[in-house]
Amino acid sequence: MNVTRNIDDIRRLVADARAAGQSIALVPTMGAIHEGHCSLIRAAKDACDFVVVSIFVNPTQFGPDEDFQKYPRMEDSDLASCERCGVDTVFAPSVEVMYGEESLTEVSVGRLGKTLCGASRPGHFAGVCTVVAKLFNIVLPDAAFFGAKDFQQAVIIRRMTDDLKFPVRIVICPTARQGDGLAISSRNSYLTPAQRKQATGLYGALQMADEKIRSQHPCASDVIEAIRAHLNAHVPQGQIDYIQIVNPKDLRDVGSTDRAVLVALAVQIGGTRLIDNTLVDGP
Ligand code: AMP
């Protein structure tokens, strides 16, 4: 497995692979590689010949009071995980390589970036889109793989790709979970054992909502109130950031649940912000 840190090197490796007739997959990550990332890598390997994983903790997607400084960085074990998963090349650039001294151009996706997580994380999705657009231009992949755990991010990347005509196929992979249902996340490592126990309540709330929607098709506000009650009972240390039920295509809030909906929530437990979601098919 190669590890590349500059743009010329990764471009050369990808060009060689392409010249040998190989298709190229990109899996963008911020490192702290876990089973969720590995599931994306496996999907990438199934679909393409040459898999590039990028590891880059992107400063522009963190707000001033967020965890950019303390975000887990563990390159040695990340490289070992990538090697184990059969990655061909890791691209692990510095902030300077990605942004230079001053990078003025930003990609944003209008209203899609202002709802759900975007409401409490202004500028977050512009940071995500900007870095993903750079990665697409550097790696020139045929396909790029994202997790449904960050459903809004996946919808936004797909929209950016369509709008800006990137010739990249966007693949969205299912959320990998722990045995008790908690969505795997690099940020789970911040949780104390007591907080970790409560964090399962997010999945419990989503399962309850999924069941309620499938069996009764209630109005969205009833489901939101039931989720709120579930979280208050099971995640007493949790501060609810949002609970929303939206159209999974355009992320607009919906009033009824008689067609496909995305139930999404964000809860702060102690200093840790956790997100999760479930897609409920229509009847
Ligand atoms: P991150 O390193 O957190 O920026 O995540 C990199 C990619 O992995 C994103 O596309 C995430 O949606 C995806 N991802 C993170 N956690 C999971 C998970 N539990 N299951 C599936 N994909 C995930």
Side-chain angles (χ1 to χ4, degrees):
M1 185 181 78
N2 287 293
V3 182
T4 50
R5 301 193 187 273
N6 69 61
I7 294 172
D8 287 345
D9 287 349
I10 183 70
R11 283 202 169 130
R12 196 171 314 114
L13 283 168
V14 169
D16 288 350
R18 199 178 288 292
Q22 296 190 305
S23 56
I24 314 296
L26 171 66
V27 182
T29 82
M30 295 205 299
I33 300 292
H34 52 60
E35 176 51 31
H37 300 120
C38 295
S39 67
L40 267 51
I41 295 169
R42 282 195 295 274
K45 279 182 71 70
D46 283 348
C48 296
D49 304 311
F50 188 86
V51 176
V52 179
V53 169
S54 60
I55 297 180
F56 181 61
V57 184
N58 174 35
T60 65
Q61 70 188 71
F62 289 80
D65 300 325
E66 294 184 358
D67 56 343
F68 174 67
Q69 293 301 340
K70 79 162 186 178
Y71 196 83
R73 289 165 173 87
M74 43 181 82
E75 192 178 272
D76 289 349
S77 71
D78 283 350
L79 295 181
S81 301
C82 287
E83 180 113 54
R84 221 176 13 252
C85 293
V87 170
D88 294 286
T89 293
V90 169
F91 177 51
S94 64
V95 172
E96 217 199 335
V97 164
M98 290 303 281
Y99 286 98
E101 270 182 22
E102 190 185 32
S103 184
L104 294 174
T105 305
E106 221 181 49
V107 181
S108 71
V109 282
R111 65 178 166 73
L112 288 182
K114 299 204 169 81
T115 182
L116 298 163
C117 288
S120 48
R121 303 187 72 189
H124 169 68
F125 288 109
V128 170
C129 284
T130 303
V131 81
V132 171
K134 285 173 190 265
L135 289 169
F136 283 2
N137 282 327
I138 293 166
V139 176
L140 304 175
D142 297 291
F145 294 75
F146 296 88
K149 153 129 193 319
D150 301 280
F151 196 95
Q152 179 178 20
Q153 168 173 283
V155 168
I156 284 175
I157 296 293
R158 187 165 263 170
R159 183 57 181 260
M160 174 192 80
T161 304
D162 282 352
D163 285 352
L164 297 184
K165 315 299 179 203
F166 282 109
V168 180
R169 186 163 62 88
I170 304 300
V171 182
I172 303 178
C173 304
T175 301
R177 297 182 179 280
Q178 304 281 5
D180 64 2
L182 178 67
I184 301 173
S185 163
S186 309
R187 291 190 168 100
N188 292 350
S189 64
Y190 300 155
L191 299 170
T192 65
Q195 291 170 342
R196 167 65 186 80
K197 248 190 206 156
Q198 290 186 31
T200 317
L202 274 70
Y203 181 62
L206 291 172
Q207 277 192 308
M208 180 276 298
D210 181 286
E211 219 288 302
K212 204 171 164 67
I213 293 171
R214 282 179 204 281
S215 59
Q216 304 163 23
H217 304 300
C219 66
S221 58
D222 284 357
V223 181
I224 289 170
E225 279 325 301
I227 293 174
R228 193 180 305 285
H230 186 103
L231 291 173
N232 287 337
H234 294 88
V235 195
Q237 283 187 56
Q239 299 264 4
I240 298 170
D241 177 4
Y242 67 78
I243 305 165
Q244 281 180 250
I245 302 187
V246 301
N247 178 323
K249 293 208 173 83
D250 62 15
L251 305 181
R252 288 187 199 275
D253 287 304
V254 296
S256 61
T257 61
D258 54 1
R259 62 198 65 184
V261 293
L262 180 81
V263 183
L265 46 83
V267 178
Q268 185 96 16
I269 305 183
T272 307
R273 188 172 178 282
L274 299 179
I275 59 171
D276 203 348
N277 67 77
T278 188
L279 186 61
V280 189
D281 303 334

